[in-house]
Amino acid sequence: MGLDASAVVRCLCTVGILSSTLFAAPQLRLLETTVGPVSTAVGASGPTQTVEATNNGDGSLNLSVRSSAAWAVPSVGAARSCGIRQGICLPISIALQTSALAKGIFTSTVTVNDPNALDAPQTITVTVQVGGGVPDKVDLYAAPNGSTVTSKFYTNAQTQSITSTQSGGDWLSVSLDGSGSFRFIYPYLIKLTAPAGMAAGTYNGTITTFNSTFAPDNKQIPVTMRVTTQPIAEPAPASVAISIAQGSAKQKKYAAIANRGLGTLTLGSVSANSVSGGNWLTAELVAGTNLVALTADAGSLAVGTYQASVSVASNAANGAVTIPVQLEVLADGAPQASANGAVNNATFEGGEALAQGDLVAIFGARFSAGDPLSATSLPLATQLGGTQVFVNDRAVPLFYSSFDQVNFQLPFDTPEGQALIRVDRNGQRGNTITADVRARVPRILRLGIGDYGIIVNQDGTFPIPATPGIASRPARVGDALVIYAIGLGATSPGVTSGAASPAVEPLGRVPVTTVSFGSSGIAAGVAVDALFSGLTPGFVGLYQINVIVPQDSPRGDNVTLRISMAGGGSNVVRLAVQ
């Protein structure tokens, strides 16, 4: 089991009780948080959009709305019957005054607030496609021998299409990628596949779209597929957004440059180029990695939004990679947690329930004005650099604090049901958000490579396909594996929240845990009971499940795996089994 307590602190940091029945307050619920993409003609305004808000608590909502862009104009109407569900709703109308916008895609954020409501403020992302959603051209790089690259576009009216290729055979297709929503948004998938035996080179094709009731979406689209045996550089994420409050410390984000082609990707010089606001952005390669560190310094910038980009040179066939970067400078103020912003530290999925004793990340803004801080000793303190997290008005143990993220442990004795969570900074009280708490919500930790879980072979390697720089080999039938997870709930005997779990017997065990090899969450897979399931000695809130790979386990590089116990099952991860 041999991991030390300082290691878990490093690992987990990088990434009076009031019940809801006693806390009488309105609770904001938006029935949608995204609008669009809405297509508008060049030189014209778009149709007004409506999002409905409801009160899931007590009292009455008193909403205010504001937009980050002048072309999206929100207003709150009088209470009325909801349009898509039973009950009373407050309609939020968003007028799309887009006539002055050039052809392109534009996004605005509409903030909906009630300072006395739980789960407020919340935001609505509004996107418009001036000139339509069908692209003017498609130009993509692909590796040979069966690789596929894709591109998506969205329309507000169903569109028919035909494809043709001038060279290379039948390598181009377009399909509707799912059905349209009630807002009539149709997602289309363009797929380019380099068949086995296709030589490196440039291949041309055409997509013709027609019969759309939105005229600008009827067009001919030239398509180019560039098949190459060289590396193909691709940034992840494709763009970076950074928020800093006036007077706060510099913020650092990272982008990885992946190779989805062949050969070895070598990165070269990195340069930051500001479009507005002066030289607020710097960027550099992290030595020995394909990570780019981006540092934003708001300095004396006024409140507003600023644009820049980072260019990363490489030996890839597609040359230098450009990463758009946006900086939002906020006015100084109270800490602000995002609605649904308290998430488990394994899947980071908003809206999922949290478990008693869970490891949680809460996202928002203005949590700290200084540099990020990590806990350096156990038991965990309830304050880091003036930052505190309160669950049901009780301060909880912290792993990490920064401007926009705080990691903490949800106490084991947190009552099941709705919990009230807030972040305070230097005694300044933040807003309150809610989260659903249950006894157990098992979640397997992810390795950060595809969908593979943090699972360890008995020799200390990871059971994944051969990966440069990582000690790895497939698991073997009969081998012992250790699966690392969170959210398995209270143990027997109990363990103090924020304290290291016992390293000698009696260990903190949980009820019988079943491991399913080949499980999809629908298919049961090959199920075996774990040899041990409980807290990892010396760690806070980290569980391990020890199991033997069964004789009839599926084989291959992408075997699915999940765990289950009384109360529910986990997320699905992958491992390699031979």
Side-chain angles (χ1 to χ4, degrees):
M1 297 180 182
L3 296 172
D4 66 0
S6 62
V8 74
V9 171
R10 292 193 300 270
C11 172
L12 295 173
C13 284
T14 59
V15 281
I17 300 176
L18 294 175
S19 72
S20 58
T21 58
L22 296 178
F23 193 93
Q27 185 173 23
L28 175 62
R29 287 288 182 267
L30 296 177
L31 301 191
E32 292 175 273
T33 56
T34 60
V35 170
V38 179
S39 295
T40 67
V42 175
S45 291
T48 296
Q49 306 293 302
T50 301
V51 173
E52 293 182 329
T54 64
N55 180 7
N56 204 43
D58 299 311
S60 300
L61 288 173
N62 183 21
L63 298 182
S64 63
V65 290
R66 59 181 173 83
S67 173
S68 64
W71 55 264
V73 182
S75 59
V76 181
R80 58 166 173 74
S81 296
C82 298
I84 59 174
R85 54 161 285 179
Q86 291 185 337
I88 300 299
C89 285
L90 287 171
I92 300 170
S93 298
I94 306 170
L96 303 181
Q97 299 177 358
T98 56
S99 60
L101 297 180
K103 178 179 172 64
I105 297 176
F106 301 86
T107 299
S108 175
T109 300
V110 172
T111 300
V112 183
N113 196 20
D114 178 343
N116 297 314
L118 301 175
D119 295 320
Q122 294 189 41
T123 59
I124 305 167
T125 301
V126 184
T127 302
V128 293
Q129 301 175 141
V130 179
V134 178
D136 292 328
K137 65 177 182 178
V138 175
D139 192 339
L140 298 172
Y141 287 80
N145 297 323
S147 73
T148 296
V149 290
T150 60
S151 178
K152 260 191 176 183
F153 66 88
Y154 300 85
T155 66
N156 296 144
Q158 197 158 0
T159 302
Q160 293 181 279
S161 64
I162 56 174
T163 62
S164 62
T165 55
Q166 287 77 62
S167 55
D170 186 15
W171 49 264
L172 174 63
S173 67
V174 180
S175 60
L176 184 61
D177 192 37
S179 59
S181 73
F182 74 91
R183 283 192 182 275
F184 308 108
I185 298 171
Y186 297 92
Y188 287 90
L189 183 70
I190 302 173
K191 184 182 294 185
L192 286 62
T193 301
M198 176 179 272
T202 301
Y203 300 87
N204 297 306
T206 303
I207 300 170
T208 302
T209 56
F210 59 97
N211 278 353
S212 172
T213 56
F214 184 72
D217 281 346
N218 298 317
K219 63 175 70 172
Q220 278 199 341
I221 310 162
V223 180
T224 304
M225 179 171 67
R226 304 179 190 274
V227 179
T228 177
T229 57
Q230 297 177 337
I232 302 171
E234 183 173 81
S239 61
V240 174
I242 304 173
S243 296
I244 305 178
Q246 289 180 313
S248 293
K250 301 176 183 179
Q251 298 295 316
K252 182 173 287 188
K253 300 286 185 179
Y254 294 90
I257 310 299
N259 180 13
R260 60 174 180 80
L262 304 179
T264 301
L265 177 65
T266 303
L267 302 183
S269 61
V270 178
S271 60
N273 309 288
S274 295
V275 176
S276 56
N279 298 321
W280 52 265
L281 180 67
T282 57
E284 61 182 355
L285 281 177
V286 178
T289 74
N290 277 10
L291 291 175
V292 179
L294 300 83
T295 302
D297 183 359
S300 59
L301 289 174
V303 171
T305 301
Y306 303 88
Q307 308 295 331
S309 65
V310 170
S311 178
V312 184
S314 76
N315 66 332
N318 54 332
V321 171
T322 299
I323 306 170
V325 182
Q326 177 176 287
L327 170 66
E328 182 181 15
V329 179
L330 307 172
D332 190 19
Q336 180 179 306
S338 301
N340 285 328
V343 297
N344 71 74
N345 265 17
T347 65
F348 295 95
E349 292 290 336
E352 287 191 347
L354 304 176
Q356 294 171 332
D358 219 342
L359 302 186
V360 182
I362 185 168
F363 293 93
R366 305 185 191 91
F367 294 157
S368 171
D371 293 329
L373 293 175
S374 298
T376 57
S377 62
L378 298 177
L380 297 173
T382 59
Q383 185 171 150
L384 277 176
T387 299
Q388 291 181 286
V389 174
F390 290 85
V391 176
N392 296 333
D393 262 358
R394 179 174 60 167
V396 299
L398 304 184
F399 284 102
Y400 171 83
S401 68
S402 68
F403 176 81
D404 56 4
Q405 177 181 347
V406 182
N407 292 5
F408 65 93
Q409 184 182 27
L410 189 71
F412 286 103
D413 60 354
T414 304
E416 290 189 68
Q418 180 174 272
L420 307 179
I421 304 173
R422 75 173 195 273
V423 180
D424 290 3
R425 186 191 72 244
N426 296 326
Q428 187 173 19
R429 187 184 180 103
N431 63 317
T432 300
I433 64 171
T434 63
D436 181 26
V437 176
R438 300 177 188 172
R440 307 183 196 279
V441 187
R443 291 293 181 262
I444 302 172
L445 295 173
R446 293 167 172 166
L447 187 58
I449 300 173
D451 292 326
Y452 293 100
I454 298 184
I455 303 170
V456 180
N457 289 313
Q458 57 197 41
D459 61 2
T461 60
F462 292 104
I464 62 175
T467 303
I470 296 179
S472 56
R473 68 161 177 85
R476 305 184 185 101
V477 168
D479 277 0
L481 298 178
V482 179
I483 304 163
Y484 288 100
I486 61 175
L488 275 64
T491 62
S492 179
V495 176
T496 302
S497 301
S501 58
V504 296
E505 292 287 0
L507 301 176
R509 287 177 163 81
V510 297
V512 174
T513 303
T514 300
V515 181
S516 298
F517 293 77
S519 168
S520 64
I522 299 175
V526 178
V528 293
D529 285 343
L531 301 176
F532 170 83
S533 184
L535 287 167
T536 301
F539 282 69
V540 175
L542 179 68
Y543 299 80
Q544 67 181 73
I545 300 96
N546 299 356
V547 67
I548 300 296
V549 181
Q551 292 291 327
D552 51 352
S553 168
R555 310 292 206 274
D557 287 345
N558 288 285
V559 175
T560 55
L561 180 144
R562 73 194 295 258
I563 62 174
S564 57
M565 57 194 312
S570 74
N571 55 317
V572 175
V573 298
R574 297 182 185 274
L575 77 162
V577 180
Q578 69 179 25

